[in-house]
Amino acid sequence: MSLAELICPAGTPAALRTAVDAGADAVYCGFQDATNARNFPGLNFTPDEMAAAVAYAHDKGTKVLLALNTYPPAGKVDLWRQAADAGARIGVDAFIVADMGVADYIARTHPDIRLHLSVQAAASSPEAIRYYCDNFGVKRVVLPRILTIPEIREIRREIPCEIETFIFGNHGLMVEGRCSLTNYLTGQSTNMDGVCSPASDVEYARHADGSMSSRLAGFTIDCFGADEKAGYPTICKGRYRAPHRPDGYYAFEEPISLNLSRLLPELIDAGVHAFKIEGRQRSKSYVRGVVSAFRQAVDDIRAGRQANIADLVALTEGQKQTQGAFETKKWR
Amino acid sequence: MTKLTLGPIAYHWPAEDRRDFYARIADEAPVDEVYLGEVICSKRAPFHEPDLPATIERLQRGGKTVIVSSLAEVMLKRERKATADLAALDAPEIEINNAAGLYARGRRPHRVGPFLNAYNEATIAWMASQGATHVCLPTELPGAAIATAAATARELGLGVEVQVFGRASLAVSARCYHARAHGRTKDNCQFVCEEDADGMPLRTTDDRPILRVNGIQTQSESYVDLLPETRRLIADGVTHLRLMPQAVDMVAVAGTVRDLLDDRLDPAGAEAALRRICDAVPFSNGFYHGQAGYRRIAAAAG
């Protein structure tokens, strides 16, 4: 059986302490700039905060993984190198990277620190994963959320590194690291700026009939009846019209969360080393609730006990949830 | 001398249409290099792979350099095999769009496609050390970064390519959105994407055109048009200008860009000609100017 580490989000120093206290095996976090894919206002760490966070986590036996998982545009590479150097000085346990130039720099400059391949690198085959293992010494790959469990099992057999998969949180629809939808509408890039459907471009408009539109940079992404709860305008969760769908439909995916609670035992059996909970933008109470529940479930499964999966399923109760691609390829 | 290239067809055009298209390109289009091969969906490949040798031969007879491009997304067995087979080719040249292809190619010479995320000089230097001879930059890269990337690539002896015409690829997914629009899944899609030669239009619920669906790919509603920026691109070291095939008269598009390159048309004249060819399709150059990609920034501001 795999170790089944629990990798938890830490958007702020307070959330990091919460995740550590709730039983995270590792937390992942980033600096307050474009070097990570959750470059949102009010989130992330200064170097001093990162140092304090690493000290707190290490004191409790928790690892800290530094996300450097965006793609530096030419001319700005130094910002990513400085972030890696700062992380090395502070003593983070691993870097999560996507860009080959960043990976190459870290492999040469900080060879003693583990490299994890971010989901943003979109390595979805044994060959792609081996490319990063052979060339940069990658020790773990975060798999894209597009594979079924039998496919994960097969990849596991063919690669020389550990596997991490998402189990809970936002359900990304597009191949990560290959999506410019936000940049197309807002001028801020997911890959280069770490921004996805930025709050600064969001507005909600109430109409005379009580309905509500959610907009991103002036484009209507969805609309809701007077009695519906308006969701956040993420482009790939929007409602659009197509020639065959004149009334509008969720062209890519409904607003929905990923929840793989029910598949946890199977994923462990498939050889997944680490489970990632998405949500660096989430509150402390969310982090506490989700991390505690998954901690309990993973410990039960490791100890051969029946895990209370119902508690995990209940975490997204009242919201739409999906097992996405993991359960069946019909999702595709 | 700046080269004009024709990118791989992103859509599922019927085999006969493709044959006619490339026959005309071979005979009439003033492009130097043509990229062939299925980049978007591995299910489509069997429809036009049988024609590939004849198409290559035809284009070469027309004086074009031919490059075969690999799949952007590699996950299934058939995709892994297609990528490995392509990487094993000695000739013609190949363009790789997925790290699985880089793995299979080893250090033998290859081109780096636009899906490989060569965003910066460090990555380009790494790729060059691994056998890359040419790099097509990501479509969303702004002008200043293009200039820096191009300078490094040129120092290393690499060709540098930028898409100057056609819809931008904005995203790829494991899910087929063409199938989804018709209540199907990727496995039983019945190749419904064939109906949309220029992508399936999506409009917002208040009827504003926004995106195009092409199977697993999402594209821009607008055509990227960097004709006003072409002189700047060339001055900054870009060696190859890529035209993406759209459902318009691509021979005329190529002729217009060629006229611009050869100073038979000034930028305003070329722009007006392109507008006539493309009818009412919106043009955009926002990515180049570091703004929202769909935007059209006036040349004076650039």
Side-chain angles (χ1 to χ4, degrees):
Chain A
M1 186 184 284
S2 72
L3 283 176
E5 282 181 35
L6 210 50
I7 315 297
C8 302
T12 62
L16 180 138
R17 291 191 297 271
T18 302
V20 168
D21 294 347
D25 293 303
V27 291
Y28 62 101
C29 45
F31 288 122
Q32 290 174 346
D33 56 34
T35 58
N36 77 95
R38 286 279 185 277
N39 181 22
F40 300 168
L43 279 196
N44 296 321
F45 294 65
T46 65
D48 285 348
E49 288 169 344
M50 189 71 76
V54 168
Y56 185 88
H58 284 180
D59 202 41
K60 308 243 172 158
T62 305
K63 295 187 187 104
V64 177
L65 319 180
L66 179 62
L68 296 174
N69 57 346
T70 39
Y71 291 88
K76 297 185 179 169
V77 172
D78 279 351
L79 184 66
W80 276 255
R81 291 181 172 173
Q82 288 158 9
D85 295 345
R89 265 197 312 277
I90 289 165
V92 299
D93 298 280
F95 296 111
I96 309 171
V97 301
D99 181 69
M100 290 182 196
V102 172
D104 178 49
Y105 175 78
I106 293 175
R108 285 186 290 106
T109 315
H110 306 293
D112 298 333
I113 303 180
R114 280 170 64 99
L115 266 185
H116 292 187
L117 189 65
S118 171
V119 71
Q120 301 292 327
S124 52
S125 67
E127 292 78 17
I129 295 164
R130 276 191 233 134
Y131 180 83
Y132 292 92
C133 295
D134 289 2
N135 286 305
F136 310 118
V138 161
K139 297 286 194 291
R140 177 184 294 175
V141 57
V142 185
L143 287 183
R145 283 164 266 207
I146 59 177
L147 296 153
T148 63
I149 291 178
E151 286 165 350
I152 292 173
R153 197 182 290 273
E154 221 175 296
I155 287 179
R156 173 72 196 94
R157 279 198 288 264
E158 292 190 52
I159 60 170
C161 73
E162 302 166 357
I163 284 181
E164 182 172 314
T165 60
F166 283 90
I167 43 167
F168 193 84
N170 182 37
H171 186 226
L173 258 293
M174 302 307 182
V175 175
E176 282 95 344
R178 302 293 182 275
C179 178
S180 307
L181 289 171
T182 290
N183 198 8
Y184 183 63
L185 296 192
T186 73
Q188 296 191 72
S189 163
T190 304
N191 277 354
M192 296 182 283
D193 302 315
V195 169
C196 174
S197 298
S200 54
D201 284 296
V202 170
E203 53 179 10
Y204 294 92
R206 175 77 70 186
H207 305 294
D209 61 357
S211 66
M212 175 95 93
S213 294
S214 63
R215 294 192 187 129
L216 187 72
F219 286 85
T220 300
I221 302 301
D222 205 348
C223 51
F224 307 89
D227 51 346
E228 282 180 294
K229 188 170 172 283
Y232 192 85
T234 308
I235 302 167
C236 62
K237 311 275 175 63
R239 205 170 344 204
Y240 306 99
R241 291 176 178 166
H244 291 265
R245 309 296 287 264
D247 298 330
Y249 72 119
Y250 289 106
F252 307 106
E253 178 61 291
E254 295 174 32
I256 207 164
S257 290
L258 183 73
N259 188 344
L260 298 190
S261 307
R262 287 195 175 89
L263 303 179
L264 205 48
E266 248 186 285
L267 285 162
I268 292 175
D269 185 61
V272 174
H273 292 80
F275 296 106
K276 182 165 227 156
I277 295 169
E278 186 274 345
R280 282 195 278 149
Q281 70 283 19
R282 301 288 192 162
S283 69
K284 270 194 305 179
S285 65
Y286 174 94
V287 169
R288 186 181 300 114
V290 173
V291 174
S292 309
F294 273 97
R295 175 78 278 154
Q296 185 63 48
V298 169
D299 287 349
D300 285 344
I301 294 167
R302 270 175 174 171
R305 294 189 295 265
Q306 187 72 36
N308 186 355
I309 302 292
D311 283 359
L312 302 181
V313 173
L315 290 169
T316 42
E317 204 156 78
Q319 296 168 36
K320 288 184 179 166
Q321 55 177 293
T322 179
Q323 296 181 141
F326 290 83
E327 192 187 23
T328 164
K329 59 192 182 124
K330 288 200 179 72
W331 175 85
R332 292 170 191 156
Chain B
M1 196 60 198
T2 307
K3 296 248 167 65
L4 206 51
T5 76
L6 185 69
I9 297 171
Y11 309 102
H12 188 41
W13 291 356
E16 194 182 334
D17 293 4
R18 281 174 185 256
R19 283 192 289 268
D20 294 347
F21 176 76
Y22 283 120
R24 236 192 119 208
I25 292 294
D27 294 342
E28 301 172 43
V31 298
D32 303 290
E33 304 183 350
V34 179
Y35 293 84
L36 300 176
E38 179 59 47
V39 170
I40 302 302
C41 177
S42 58
K43 284 187 70 178
R44 299 169 177 171
F47 288 91
H48 45 84
E49 261 171 7
D51 288 332
L52 205 52
T55 306
I56 291 172
E57 198 268 333
R58 182 76 200 263
L59 286 163
Q60 286 175 335
R61 228 184 325 130
K64 322 295 186 201
T65 298
V66 176
I67 308 101
V68 185
S69 298
S70 80
L71 286 165
E73 189 175 288
V74 180
M75 180 171 65
L76 307 175
K77 276 212 171 67
R78 66 168 181 264
E79 295 161 353
R80 294 167 63 190
K81 181 169 187 309
T83 302
D85 289 350
L86 188 88
L89 290 179
D90 277 329
E93 282 200 69
I94 67 166
E95 177 186 68
I96 295 176
N97 279 307
N98 186 288
L102 294 180
Y103 179 81
R105 189 68 173 169
R107 297 195 175 197
R108 284 173 294 159
H110 58 270
R111 296 188 179 201
V112 167
F115 293 93
L116 266 184
N117 283 8
Y119 275 93
N120 59 69
E121 62 274 36
T123 294
I124 291 169
W126 163 259
M127 289 169 162
S129 77
Q130 302 299 304
T133 58
H134 181 106
V135 57
C136 184
L137 300 176
T139 314
E140 68 164 348
L141 206 59
I146 290 174
T148 304
T152 297
R154 293 293 292 277
E155 276 169 32
L156 296 165
L158 271 63
V160 189
E161 186 160 351
V162 168
Q163 178 184 338
V164 297
F165 175 81
R167 296 192 200 280
S169 178
L170 298 180
V172 289
S173 170
R175 172 179 274 181
C176 177
Y177 302 120
H178 246 108
R180 180 175 168 86
H182 292 265
R184 300 173 192 165
T185 66
K186 194 166 158 187
D187 279 354
N188 70 357
C189 68
Q190 298 168 48
F191 300 98
V192 67
C193 56
E194 195 180 66
E195 291 173 11
D196 296 300
D198 215 30
M200 181 184 81
L202 293 182
R203 306 169 80 84
T204 64
T205 49
D206 49 6
D207 256 345
R208 184 172 177 187
I210 180 168
L211 298 167
R212 293 266 164 163
V213 163
N214 171 40
I216 65 159
Q217 183 187 40
T218 306
Q219 299 179 322
S220 62
E221 165 63 20
S222 58
Y223 287 180
V224 168
D225 162 25
L226 294 188
L227 293 198
E229 288 77 16
T230 291
R231 285 178 178 167
R232 180 81 253 161
L233 287 169
I234 294 167
D236 284 340
V238 173
T239 57
H240 292 61
L241 304 177
R242 178 176 293 212
L243 315 174
M244 287 304 287
Q246 304 297 153
V248 296
D249 184 346
M250 289 303 298
V251 170
V253 171
T256 301
V257 184
R258 175 59 67 193
D259 284 346
L260 176 69
L261 292 179
D262 294 348
D263 286 325
R264 283 189 296 272
L265 281 174
D266 64 10
E271 191 64 9
L274 196 65
R275 171 46 63 211
R276 283 193 296 276
I277 297 163
C278 299
D279 196 17
V281 179
F283 290 159
S284 63
N285 58 357
F287 285 140
Y288 181 87
H289 294 280
Q291 301 199 33
Y294 77 91
R295 288 193 185 278
R296 180 71 182 160
I297 310 298

